[in-house]
Amino acid sequence: MLAVTVAVIALAGATALSAAADTASPSKYRQAVEETYNLVQSASPNDTAAASHALTVLEAGTGMSQPEIIADLQRRPPSFEDAKLRLSALMNAIDQPANTSDPATAQQRLHDVLAMHRYDALHRPPSLLDRFLQWARDRLDQILRLLFGGSGGSSIAGWFFYLIGAVVLAAVAVIVFRSVRGRLSESLVAHQPAGPRAPADYFAEADRLAEQGDRVGAIRNLCAGVAATLAGERTWEGSPLTVREIFQRAPDPGRLRPLLLPFEAAIYGGREVDSATYARAAQVAAPFRQPAEVAA
């Protein structure tokens, strides 16, 4: 899930920049994010008052453009660690925006990457179960505030009510799953991929595309072949890890940089791959190609 998390944080940064242009000047937006970060950083783990203050500052400066951070601050107890991580990434995205000489191509490349199956979770709306859990948590927070005041009550009382809610939800889940017994496993079987692709298939596709002059597609398939060799045949279609993370499994990850860096520049930055760069990338991938082709 780390890849999903990184993608979410990156999208949050892009959303922040867009929101800043629409609702406030970038400097005010950045100031609100920094002030929220300082409040979160200095707060104690269960300081709901500090979380409420930080939430007010964040929403005043950024509106509702950061739903993940807002959700962290609304939790009881607040999720300060996750909020700090997201706020830090957001400030970095504002301070160091990604630039490209061809924004249209870069946007299309980004769209192509996010359209991969591994990022389907980013596009799906919250499920009915997620919505119900959020609704139940909001109602419970309201009850705690009504009983114990604006601070939400003591942590012991809060956890007691959450425990009761968890027991009720578990009972409901047991009833629901028993009523649809067998359907879930059938659905999972029906949605399994038709079959994994061997690393040799990716390398063969890379050769074919390189001959046609499509070096971007070719270097993508080289990376797929190396990734499949390192982490298994289903890695490229279904792994939540990024290519960089998969390549860390190599005995010497640094030697894969001539393959990894042009891949990232081409796929994420919209840059072309010249023949010399591709030749170096193919040379780096060669040691992984040979065991795959022998096995095939």
Side-chain angles (χ1 to χ4, degrees):
M1 296 300 292
L2 181 58
V4 175
T5 302
V6 172
V8 169
I9 293 176
L11 288 176
T15 304
L17 296 178
S18 175
D22 293 340
T23 62
S25 66
S27 59
K28 291 182 179 180
Y29 195 100
R30 173 65 167 74
Q31 183 178 356
V33 174
E34 183 176 5
E35 185 175 350
T36 304
Y37 178 83
N38 292 335
L39 290 170
V40 168
Q41 190 175 34
S42 61
S44 58
N46 296 317
D47 192 347
T48 56
S52 298
H53 185 195
L55 180 61
T56 300
V57 172
L58 180 67
E59 291 182 341
T62 67
M64 302 300 294
S65 64
Q66 299 300 325
E68 294 85 3
I69 302 175
I70 291 174
D72 286 339
L73 297 176
Q74 288 177 336
R75 290 191 175 93
R76 293 297 179 267
S79 182
F80 286 131
E81 290 301 322
D82 189 66
K84 283 194 294 186
L85 175 65
R86 293 181 184 277
L87 287 165
S88 177
L90 179 55
M91 287 191 292
N92 290 335
I94 296 174
D95 294 339
Q96 301 176 357
N99 295 321
T100 177
S101 58
D102 189 355
T105 301
Q107 184 66 28
Q108 182 59 43
R109 296 289 188 184
L110 176 61
H111 180 271
D112 293 341
V113 171
L114 293 179
M116 295 179 179
H117 291 306
R118 68 183 72 178
Y119 300 121
D120 285 348
L122 295 176
H123 309 298
R124 285 195 296 265
S127 65
L128 291 177
L129 179 59
D130 292 334
R131 295 177 185 177
F132 173 74
L133 292 176
Q134 182 62 48
W135 175 86
R137 187 167 57 190
D138 291 342
R139 301 294 78 77
L140 183 56
D141 287 340
Q142 290 178 350
I143 294 174
L144 292 176
R145 284 194 293 269
L146 180 63
L147 293 176
F148 302 103
S151 63
S154 66
S155 58
I156 297 178
W159 281 112
F160 175 74
F161 280 103
Y162 276 118
L163 179 61
I164 294 177
V167 172
V168 173
L169 291 177
V172 172
V174 170
I175 295 173
V176 171
F177 281 114
R178 288 187 63 181
S179 66
V180 296
R181 184 172 49 193
R183 298 179 184 176
L184 180 61
S185 59
E186 294 174 2
S187 175
L188 291 175
V189 172
H191 288 84
Q192 286 292 332
R197 294 185 62 185
D201 293 341
Y202 289 114
F203 289 125
E205 182 70 9
D207 293 340
R208 186 184 67 82
L209 293 174
E211 291 178 358
Q212 296 177 355
D214 182 6
R215 288 186 288 271
V216 173
I219 206 167
R220 183 199 298 268
N221 277 274
L222 282 181
C223 285
V226 173
T229 302
L230 289 172
E233 293 184 349
R234 289 193 183 275
T235 300
W236 194 253
E237 296 87 352
S239 174
L241 301 177
T242 64
V243 176
R244 183 178 290 266
E245 291 165 340
I246 295 173
F247 280 11
Q248 289 298 317
R249 300 185 179 186
D252 186 2
R255 298 191 62 180
L256 291 174
R257 289 175 62 84
L259 172 62
L260 175 64
L261 296 182
F263 167 81
E264 293 180 334
I267 301 304
Y268 305 126
R271 299 181 183 178
E272 294 297 327
V273 179
D274 58 48
S275 57
T277 299
Y278 181 78
R280 288 194 295 271
Q283 183 178 6
V284 167
F288 300 87
R289 173 196 294 260
Q290 294 169 358
E293 291 182 345
V294 170

